[in-house]
Each structure stands twice: as structure tokens, then as C-alpha cells.
Amino acid sequence: MSETIDKKYPLEKIRNIGIIAHIDAGKTTTTERILFYTGRSHKIGDIDEGNTQMDWMAQEKERGITIQSAATTCFWKDHRINIIDTPGHVDFTAEVERSLRVLDGGVIVLDGSQGVEPQSETVFRQAQKYDVPLLFFLNKLDKVGGDFFMSVDSISEKLTKKGVAVQIPIGLEGGFYAVVDLIEMKAYKFDGEGGEGVVEFEVPEDLIDVAKKYRAVLVERVAESDDALIEKYLNGEELTIEEIKQGIRKMTVKAELYPIFCGASLSNKGVQKVLDGVIEYLPSPKDTPDIKGINFDTGEEVSLSSDVGGSLAALAFKIQTDPYVGRLTYIRVYSGKITAGSYVYNSTTGKKERLGRILLMHANHREEIKEVLAGEIAAGVGLEATTGDTLCSEDHKILLDKITFAEPVIGIVIEPKTKADRDKMSQIIKKFLEEDPTLQIKSNIETGQTLLYGMGELHLDIIVDRMRREFNLEINTGKPQVAYRETIRKAVEQEGKYIRQSGGRGQYGHVYLKVEPLERGEGFKFIDKIVGGAIPKEYVPAVEKGIKEAAESGVIAGYPLVDFQVTLFDGSFHEVDSSEMAFKMAAIEAMRAAQTAADTFLLEPIMKVEVITPEEFMGDVIGNLSSKRGKIESTEQKGNARIILGKVPLAEMFGYATELRGMTQGRASFVMEPSHYEEVPANIAQTLAKDSIRH
């Protein structure tokens, strides 16, 4: 393998892709087959046996789910494919977010018996956010209920009208055994113990009409990719196989078309054809738009192409603590190259950093390499960079867009069992916060409690489990708590003064702030409108810092203030007594007064909930969700089951899994993911405010 690793591939022969999916769609099973067929592994890993290569954590093996994104490199038909296998569970959506930020393309795996599921929609939206070209792989067509054509329709209805089948299956459910390639109009089956033998044969007679119908749809769409092709098509001329493939590639790279493949990874059918699709249709780093950033010195927007000889521009997108080599920083190089032992400039922090070693990762295994070139992904040892930091050369400083993450919605109280473990817990939490940007920590000064916030109960459960197993830290945990937020209803202007005189030099800070509400989800904005030197420029950052500090704890129940804008428009200073600290304190004072005056109110996280239940329990399920302040949005029939979609406050959903099992004799299931924040009803807000006073 090392010969292939050391080989330098031109940019057009590199693919950086992610494997993304709803939980249980067969994503990791698909990745394990890819590793087997590309020669990266000599044995197919099995989730049930706990011997998969990409799910290497103890918690992943036990639970049969992917928790951390894992990177690997494999080779197919003289192409290098860098793969990131991402989690399917909504609690670990940050892993998907940061992976998509640095990838050039992706494969969305769908369960062919279910079609598009809730998390499928989430990952598709995330891919669209970063304009990532995609292939669809309709997996599990050998399952009872496997329905390729239903799944294709669900892509069109729920995700995009741009999905087009390039294959159709031969056989249904247990009888599924091969695929028809609609471009070549050839059939392929997969022989051998691991399906490694791809055997071509003629399309069965009874499928020719269906194949022709779907091929006609494909050809019509592809003809739109090029003026010459559309003219040829309209004149009734046949497009060649090469023209069709070029058209598919051209449109896929621009995210104007999403080719749909089919198969069954567990029974070793169809995966090699997906690999062919990856190298034929997904973009190389050369095909992607130039990376945009800000010139650090001038503030102007600049573009850099994927050029090994260009100025260095790389993004740190993931931090991981490795028990053998320590802190790993995963990096994607967009331009230039990074060499082991060299210095790089971190334009996010303004510091030089030394890159000690460079590792090519294969899940939790490592191979040392000398350099990372434009278009490649690797892990660095020795860097201090955190997720979202830009690495560049000191001669050409550039700042790339940071990665944004969803806010956590749930928290638990954690405390060490002994006083001796308190410092140890702080160090461990620091490591987790570096690794996972969706974790937040908050200390209650009055009670001395530490609150750990995350994306869901499973997310926090895994973190606590890792503390105990990996670090031998015994901790007590409290009941899950909702991560409420506070915001304001109206705009106010507020003066803040901080004047202290206690012998010697005094303290003087004086600000006027305008505080206004923003639309939900807009976060925080700060505007400096100081003119005429009313406040020296060097004190303005201190004002912003004070505003942010005051916003960490709202006036109703101590929850963070969100979705507001503050304009600093006036103030005054003292030649001798003014200081950064004084202006920070003045801003804190003004903000606290403003929150009270601006009619602050509480927000709560609302969850998107999907329940699949046998029809006879539908009435009970809907009634129960309604009693939880839930709003039912739709119900759909799927075989003998009903799918109920609704929005429910997170505060009402604790213990719902047990409740649902009891209500439906254990026959119903549900998934939920964060949707948005809404105002808390007045009676509940009063209770929360009283509770905060008591605590």
C-alpha cells in the first residue's frame, strides 16, 4: 500500500468525498465495502461483529453507530479517493457540517425501503449550504419493502427535482441481484464471496422497456448541459455514451444534476459501480470554484485556485486527541503545500505555529508522510490551531471563512466524585471542547455547578462515557436540562457609566448603546458608530467584549441572550483614568439595564419529530404529542404504518422513547432533530424564572 500512498497524483485524479446518510441507511457498511474493493482492507468489516475499520471507538462498536467522522484514503482505477465517513445520528451533525465544509463531493446513502428520511433532508441541506456536488446511492434494495422507484420519487418530492437515475435494479427485495446501467444499456451482477467479480450481461427482455423509459429521461436532462448536445437531441440524433457521461459530469460538478445509483452493500451488490461514479462524475479539486478568503493585511476579498505552486491556504477542520501521538489537527490544503517540520502562520490567531509531523489517517491508524499538497487532506501533529482556523504563509496572509455550528439544545450537571478529580475534570473538558465545537460549558457561580451542553441526550451520554473510559474520571451527572435562550422584543438606548475613585489612578468608562432585536437565528451583531473621537478606537474592542460578557447571562433566568444588535454611538473618556477594563464594565452595566428595558423574554428549542407507528396506535400517538404542546404538521401512509410529522418543544420530550414503547407495545419508533427556537408560554416562563431565583 505504501507505494500507492507515496505516489503523487495530479489534481484531476484526486477526489475528496464524504459518505453521508440518515442513521441506519447502511453508510458504514458501504464504506467498508469501498475499502475492501479498493484493496485498503483484506476483510469486509461487519457492524454486528464490531470489527469495522471506520467505526473504531468502543462506543461505536457497542452501539453500532458512527459517532466521530473518520478519514481514510483509498485508490480506484488510478485515482486517489480521500474519504470521510460521517455520523448519521442527528446528535453528531457537527461532524457532518465540518466534513462537508472541506469536501469537494459526497455520496448520500439512502435506505431503499424508506426513501428520504428526516436526517437525509438535514445532510442534503448541509451539502447545499456548501454547494457540494452529490451522488445518491439507494441502498438496502434487498430488504423487505425495498423499492427503488418509490425512493427516486421521494428524492424528487422531498429533496430536489435534479435527481436522475443512471441505474435501475434487476429483481425486488430478496430477488434483487443485479443493476442495469442506463448509459451503456448493459446489466451487471456481482459474483464471488464478497461480490468482487463484476460480470456484464445483456439487459433482461422484461426490463428493456422500463430501462428505455428511464434512459430517455436521463438523456433529455443531459442534453441540457450543452448547446451542441441539445441541438443534436432536438434533431433526433442519438447521443454517444461518451457524450452522456461528459454531460452528467458537467452538470454534477455544478450541482445541477444528482446521479442516482442502486445496490445493497450488505449483500455486496453495486458498490463498485458507485466507485466508478465517484471518479467519473464527482469533481476533482481542479473542478471546484476558487477558494475565497480575505486578505489579512488589506481586508480585500481574494481568490486562490487549487495550485500546488500557489500561496499556502489551508483550513483546520477537526481536532482529535490520539492516545499515541497526542493532539491531531485535520487540515484541508486548498492552495500551495505544507511540509513536515515547517512553520505556518495561523491568520485566525495571528501566531506562527510549527507543524511537527504529517499523518495520513486511516480511521485510528496512521501513516507518516512528508508533505500535503493542494487538494489533499491529512492530519498535523504539533499545531495549536482549533476548528475553523486558517493556516497560510506569513508572506501572503489570508483568512478563510470559519465553519459555523448549530447551538446546543440540552445540558446536564456534571461534578467529579472527589475533590481531587476537579482539576482533572477541567483538563478533560478542555480537550473535549477543542474536539467538539457543539459542546459548551457553563459554570454557575452561586451553586458551584458545572453544566455541560450538547446536541442531544445521546451526545452527552457518549461524552460522559468517554470521560469514564478514556480518562478514568468518575463523575456524577444530573437530569438533562433544556438550553433555553433569552432575547429582546424592542429597541432601547442605554447609557452605561463606570467611575471609580479610590486614591491614585481612578477608573472612567462611559458609553451610549442602542440595543435592537434581530430576526430569529441571526445571533449577535456589533456596530461601531463612534465619530469625532468620543471614545478612542483602542477602547472599542473592550466595549464589545463587555457586551458579549453581559449577554452570557440573561436577566430573566440567567440564559444567554441571542438575536440582538448593539450599536455603540456615543460616550466619553478621561485622559488619565480611562482604561479597557473601565469601558468593558460600562458596557456590562449598560447591557444589563438595556435587557430589562427592552422587554426580554425566554426562547425554547423546538424539535422536528417524526414518529412511525402501526395504524392502530396513530390516534394515541397524535393525542400524546398534542398533550406535549406539539403541533402535528402531516401524516402519511406507508404500507401498514403511519408517519406522523410534527414540531414539539424539547422540554416535553424527555423520556419519550419509553413512553412511546408503552403506548404502542414497542412497535413504534421516532427520530427528532432541532428545528428552531420559539417564545416560551408565559406560565412556563414564570416557573423557569422562579426556579432560577431558587437555585
Side-chain angles (χ1 to χ4, degrees):
M1 203 65 203
S2 60
E3 288 178 24
T4 319
I5 292 291
D6 294 336
K7 180 180 171 182
K8 297 297 179 195
Y9 286 79
L11 282 175
E12 58 269 19
K13 295 264 181 135
I14 292 175
R15 301 290 181 271
N16 295 308
I17 67 163
I19 313 289
I20 52 182
H22 182 97
I23 193 167
D24 288 335
K27 175 181 52 55
T28 297
T29 304
T30 303
T31 308
E32 292 294 321
R33 268 61 186 176
I34 288 173
L35 298 180
F36 177 69
Y37 297 133
T38 59
R40 202 64 167 96
S41 62
H42 302 294
K43 183 178 181 292
I44 296 175
D46 188 283
I47 289 172
D48 294 334
E49 292 177 17
N51 61 359
T52 61
Q53 298 205 35
M54 302 305 278
D55 287 352
W56 56 270
M57 290 171 66
Q59 294 86 349
E60 293 178 316
K61 292 179 185 293
E62 286 167 7
R63 298 166 191 254
I65 60 170
T66 304
I67 293 167
Q68 285 199 346
S69 56
T72 189
T73 297
C74 59
F75 306 88
W76 184 251
K77 296 186 176 177
D78 202 31
H79 283 69
R80 172 175 173 157
I81 306 175
N82 301 314
I83 298 175
I84 296 181
D85 179 31
T86 63
H89 197 287
V90 65
D91 281 19
F92 309 106
T93 188
E95 292 289 319
V96 184
E97 186 81 29
R98 60 177 158 201
S99 300
L100 286 169
R101 171 67 173 80
V102 298
L103 292 171
D104 302 326
V107 177
I108 289 193
V109 183
L110 300 183
D111 182 333
S113 68
Q114 303 297 318
V116 173
E117 298 175 273
Q119 188 64 6
S120 317
E121 295 183 57
T122 304
V123 295
F124 183 76
R125 285 198 304 273
Q126 286 173 305
Q128 283 192 307
K129 176 178 166 184
Y130 297 113
D131 297 319
V132 177
L134 298 169
L135 311 179
F136 284 100
F137 177 49
L138 300 185
N139 188 29
K140 299 192 177 186
L141 291 178
D142 56 347
K143 254 177 81 175
V144 174
D147 189 335
F148 175 81
F149 302 104
M150 173 278 292
S151 297
V152 170
D153 289 343
S154 76
I155 291 171
S156 179
E157 288 161 14
K158 295 181 179 179
L159 298 183
T160 175
K161 302 289 184 193
K162 297 174 183 175
V164 179
V166 294
Q167 295 177 340
I168 59 170
I170 303 178
L172 295 168
E173 300 178 343
F176 168 65
Y177 73 98
V179 302
V180 174
D181 183 318
L182 297 174
I183 304 163
E184 298 175 351
M185 285 299 277
K186 295 284 184 186
Y188 294 92
K189 61 181 179 180
F190 306 89
D191 287 348
E193 192 180 334
E196 59 271 36
V198 182
V199 180
E200 181 186 307
F201 63 103
E202 293 301 314
V203 178
E205 284 289 331
D206 60 340
L207 269 180
I208 285 177
D209 287 346
V210 178
K212 282 181 175 175
K213 175 188 161 188
Y214 276 86
R215 189 179 197 271
V217 172
L218 171 64
V219 171
E220 186 179 354
R221 290 292 300 277
V222 167
E224 296 168 10
S225 68
D226 186 271
D227 288 345
L229 291 187
I230 195 77
E231 190 176 338
K232 194 172 177 180
Y233 175 77
L234 292 171
N235 288 335
E237 296 174 56
E238 279 285 318
L239 302 192
T240 67
I241 288 172
E242 196 53 41
E243 284 172 335
I244 295 170
K245 285 186 174 182
Q246 283 174 0
I248 294 172
R249 177 174 181 79
K250 190 174 178 180
M251 294 181 82
T252 304
V253 164
K254 293 179 181 174
E256 292 172 355
L257 186 140
Y258 300 105
I260 302 172
F261 292 76
C262 59
S265 298
L266 193 60
S267 55
N268 309 315
K269 296 177 179 72
V271 175
Q272 297 98 317
K273 287 293 174 184
V274 176
L275 276 168
D276 288 345
V278 166
I279 63 174
E280 284 175 339
Y281 306 131
L282 289 180
S284 74
K286 264 197 162 176
D287 300 315
T288 57
D290 291 351
I291 188 76
K292 288 187 169 35
I294 302 294
N295 183 304
F296 190 82
D297 296 318
T298 65
E300 293 174 359
E301 188 175 87
V302 289
S303 297
L304 289 173
S305 60
S306 286
D307 179 7
V308 176
S311 304
L312 174 63
L315 189 75
F317 68 94
K318 177 180 167 75
I319 308 299
Q320 185 180 319
T321 304
D322 186 285
Y324 300 102
V325 296
R327 192 176 187 269
L328 289 174
T329 305
Y330 284 76
I331 47 180
R332 160 72 194 261
V333 180
Y334 288 98
S335 173
K337 64 179 181 180
I338 295 182
T339 309
S342 65
Y343 282 89
V344 293
Y345 185 78
N346 185 330
S347 57
T348 308
T349 62
K351 294 178 181 174
K352 275 176 77 172
E353 297 185 23
R354 186 176 181 273
L355 176 62
R357 297 160 63 198
I358 303 173
L359 304 173
L360 197 64
M361 302 301 294
H362 177 54
N364 62 331
H365 302 291
R366 312 150 288 276
E367 296 171 57
E368 195 153 343
I369 55 175
K370 294 182 177 66
E371 58 185 8
V372 201
L373 308 179
E376 296 179 351
I377 291 170
V381 181
L383 294 171
E384 293 175 20
T386 59
T387 299
D389 285 5
T390 301
L391 305 175
C392 58
S393 67
E394 211 168 357
D395 298 337
H396 295 91
K397 296 173 188 170
I398 186 172
L399 199 58
L400 304 177
D401 280 347
K402 286 185 78 73
I403 311 170
T404 55
F405 298 99
E407 288 286 310
V409 294
I410 185 171
I412 51 169
V413 173
I414 56 170
E415 55 185 32
K417 284 192 176 177
T418 65
K419 283 185 178 177
D421 279 337
R422 187 165 293 281
D423 288 343
K424 186 178 175 184
M425 187 177 85
S426 296
Q427 290 302 312
I428 293 164
I429 287 172
K430 188 183 173 200
K431 279 192 171 103
F432 280 125
L433 292 175
E434 281 186 346
E435 285 185 16
D436 190 341
T438 59
L439 283 175
Q440 286 181 9
I441 200 80
K442 191 177 176 182
S443 298
N444 189 315
I445 296 163
E446 284 82 27
T447 63
Q449 286 182 326
T450 300
L451 276 152
L452 182 67
Y453 286 96
M455 297 306 295
E457 288 181 87
L458 177 62
H459 186 198
L460 294 174
D461 188 30
I462 295 290
I463 295 294
V464 169
D465 190 45
R466 286 183 64 195
M467 285 181 184
R468 288 169 177 154
R469 287 203 208 192
E470 293 174 28
F471 300 95
N472 296 317
L473 178 70
E474 285 303 313
I475 55 172
N476 296 318
T477 60
K479 287 182 179 175
Q481 303 178 19
V482 177
Y484 293 98
R485 297 283 184 263
E486 299 185 19
T487 193
I488 56 174
R489 213 179 298 275
K490 61 185 186 185
V492 295
E493 291 185 2
Q494 191 66 50
E495 181 184 18
K497 270 188 179 179
Y498 186 78
I499 302 171
R500 297 288 185 274
Q501 202 68 52
S502 54
R505 187 180 166 182
Q507 294 286 348
Y508 184 95
H510 179 212
V511 298
Y512 284 96
L513 305 179
K514 184 177 184 180
V515 184
E516 303 166 88
L518 292 175
E519 292 295 317
R520 202 69 63 244
E522 287 195 40
F524 164 67
K525 291 179 184 174
F526 175 73
I527 299 169
D528 172 15
K529 279 199 175 173
I530 293 294
V531 291
I535 298 173
K537 286 289 179 194
E538 63 262 31
Y539 297 135
V540 172
V543 174
E544 186 177 358
K545 194 174 177 183
I547 293 164
K548 286 178 176 175
E549 198 168 302
E552 285 173 8
S553 182
V555 294
I556 299 177
Y559 293 104
L561 189 74
V562 297
D563 303 335
F564 68 104
Q565 175 176 289
V566 179
T567 304
L568 171 64
F569 66 92
D570 203 0
S572 62
F573 72 104
H574 189 280
E575 289 282 0
V576 177
D577 292 348
S578 281
S579 66
E580 287 184 8
M581 195 272 282
F583 273 98
K584 183 181 121 177
M585 296 306 295
I588 290 173
E589 186 184 296
M591 273 303 298
R592 284 182 179 151
Q595 286 182 68
T596 305
D599 193 7
T600 302
F601 61 97
L602 276 172
L603 296 168
E604 64 178 339
I606 306 296
M607 309 302 284
K608 180 180 171 184
V609 179
E610 179 179 280
V611 183
I612 302 172
T613 176
E615 192 147 11
E616 62 259 42
F617 304 113
M618 183 172 130
D620 292 341
V621 171
I622 287 176
N624 180 263
L625 288 173
S626 299
S627 73
K628 296 179 181 295
R629 300 190 281 129
K631 295 172 185 168
I632 306 302
E633 295 187 327
S634 68
T635 61
E636 308 173 18
Q637 186 93 33
K638 196 169 207 177
N640 316 327
R642 284 278 186 168
I643 300 171
I644 301 161
L645 293 168
K647 302 271 173 67
V648 189
L650 174 62
E652 306 286 346
M653 291 300 288
F654 294 129
Y656 184 66
T658 307
E659 230 178 301
L660 186 65
R661 276 198 299 272
M663 214 186 321
T664 62
Q665 300 168 9
R667 291 166 64 194
S669 63
F670 84 103
V671 288
M672 67 176 183
E673 61 181 34
S675 172
H676 62 284
Y677 273 80
E678 264 181 24
E679 184 172 353
V680 175
N683 59 324
I684 296 171
Q686 283 171 3
T687 306
L688 289 167
K690 284 176 187 170
D691 286 348
S692 77
I693 293 167
R694 278 201 298 272
H695 291 110

